[in-house]
Amino acid sequence: MQALGHLRRALIKQPLQSQWVRAVSTTRYVKVNNTNNGVSKDKKAEEKEINVTTPSVTAQVEHFPTTTQFDAPVDLKDGEQQNWSSSFYGLSTERFPKDVSNILLEPINAEDIEIKPDGMIYLPEIKYRRILNRAFGPGGWGLAPRGEHTISPKNISREYALICSGRFVSQARGEQDFFDISGLPTASEGCKSNALMRCCKDLGVASELWDPTFIRKFKKKYCVEVWAEHVTTKKKKKLWKKKDDTLEYPYKEV
């Protein structure tokens, strides 16, 4: 027994042999300074260097002009009392004089109404301007932009306010389609005219054009749907026209 005890102590004192050592991969830990809210100075310096050397993100290339490129800034001139880009001054404060109301609400002459080939009737925008000029006089009304243009690849729109006799009357968004960027100036004018037509609804101008009963009676009395042929492709389709008008190119009645 005494010999076995000496042998056991001898084995414990001897170093482990290399074939008994097991290689184990360990995770390397780095001591972090707990000062400055747990972030070391070296870490802060590294982050600062990254922020300085990282290039800024460039803006996406615009294929169409932005509103800041297309619109002029709205500045309130000296002595001007109302900024019509945001003001609602005079809204519903009093009625317009009776003679003005009579002009705005008078029935539309059937000869002034046009019809599109798809059957939609409308009043040309110049007719709206003539009615407003008769009611308020040239210079007695105007359209004030209420924001910047919204431009998409094929459409432009903008909010306008109709101001009559120094009072806010109505607000509407006009829109116009276009096919090429070179046509933006013309499209912006069409957008303004479309907004004028929509604003005039609140004054009762040409309100018949939104009355289904009037539309049915007008089309029955003054319009007709005919077969038309495309002069180039020879394709046929039904189109609307006024009874005393002819179809426009490239269609002809068959």
Side-chain angles (χ1 to χ4, degrees):
M1 292 294 294
Q2 190 174 6
L4 289 174
H6 290 294
L7 179 60
R8 183 179 299 172
R9 285 193 295 271
L11 289 175
I12 293 175
K13 291 181 180 180
Q14 289 181 358
L16 295 176
Q17 298 297 326
S18 61
Q19 62 268 26
W20 290 2
V21 177
R22 183 179 179 183
V24 179
S25 60
T26 59
T27 302
R28 182 182 178 185
Y29 293 94
V30 179
K31 185 177 180 180
V32 179
N33 188 0
N34 290 328
T35 61
N36 298 326
N37 296 328
V39 181
S40 65
K41 293 183 179 180
D42 293 341
K43 185 67 175 179
K44 281 189 173 182
E46 182 180 356
E47 290 180 354
K48 184 176 181 181
E49 182 179 357
I50 292 175
N51 292 334
V52 172
T53 58
T54 302
S56 60
V57 179
T58 57
Q60 186 177 1
V61 178
E62 293 282 352
H63 296 288
F64 294 88
T66 60
T67 54
T68 54
Q69 294 172 319
F70 195 77
D71 297 323
V74 179
D75 295 328
L76 193 62
K77 298 180 181 179
D78 295 337
E80 188 177 357
Q81 297 180 353
Q82 299 297 327
N83 182 0
W84 291 117
S85 64
S86 59
S87 176
F88 291 89
Y89 174 80
L91 176 63
S92 188
T93 53
E94 61 178 334
R95 298 179 180 180
F96 285 115
K98 188 172 180 60
D99 58 336
V100 173
S101 299
N102 290 339
I103 295 174
L104 297 174
L105 299 177
E106 67 182 10
I108 298 299
N109 189 345
E111 295 181 356
D112 292 335
I113 301 175
E114 301 292 339
I115 187 168
K116 295 182 179 180
D118 61 1
M120 179 181 294
I121 63 174
Y122 67 98
L123 190 68
E125 56 86 16
I126 190 61
K127 306 289 185 179
Y128 291 94
R129 285 180 162 85
R130 289 175 181 173
I131 293 173
L132 292 176
N133 282 334
R134 285 173 52 207
F136 302 104
W141 65 276
L143 282 177
R146 302 288 279 190
E148 298 176 340
H149 283 92
T150 300
I151 305 175
S152 65
K154 295 296 180 183
N155 181 273
I156 180 173
S157 66
R158 194 180 195 182
E159 291 272 357
Y160 285 91
L162 177 60
I163 313 299
C164 299
S165 299
R167 294 163 48 188
F168 176 94
V169 173
S170 181
Q171 178 175 331
R173 175 171 289 271
E175 61 178 339
Q176 179 66 44
D177 292 336
F178 64 94
F179 302 98
D180 187 79
I181 191 172
S182 61
L184 270 178
T186 302
S188 66
E189 284 297 309
C191 170
K192 181 180 178 181
S193 297
N194 184 245
L196 174 63
M197 175 195 69
R198 294 176 174 178
C199 285
C200 282
K201 286 192 295 183
D202 289 347
L203 288 175
V205 178
S207 60
E208 304 96 318
L209 302 182
W210 283 268
D211 184 350
T213 301
F214 176 85
I215 294 173
R216 287 193 295 267
K217 290 181 178 180
F218 177 85
K219 292 174 71 173
K220 184 177 181 179
K221 184 176 181 179
Y222 297 101
C223 306
V224 62
E225 190 177 24
V226 299
W227 279 102
E229 181 183 72
H230 195 283
V231 296
T232 304
T233 63
K234 304 302 179 182
K235 292 183 177 181
K236 296 181 180 181
K237 62 187 302 185
K238 279 190 172 184
L239 299 177
W240 283 91
K241 71 179 188 69
K242 295 181 77 171
K243 290 181 178 179
D244 55 350
D245 285 347
T246 58
L247 294 176
E248 296 183 356
Y249 184 86
Y251 288 98
K252 66 178 181 178
E253 187 175 348
V254 294

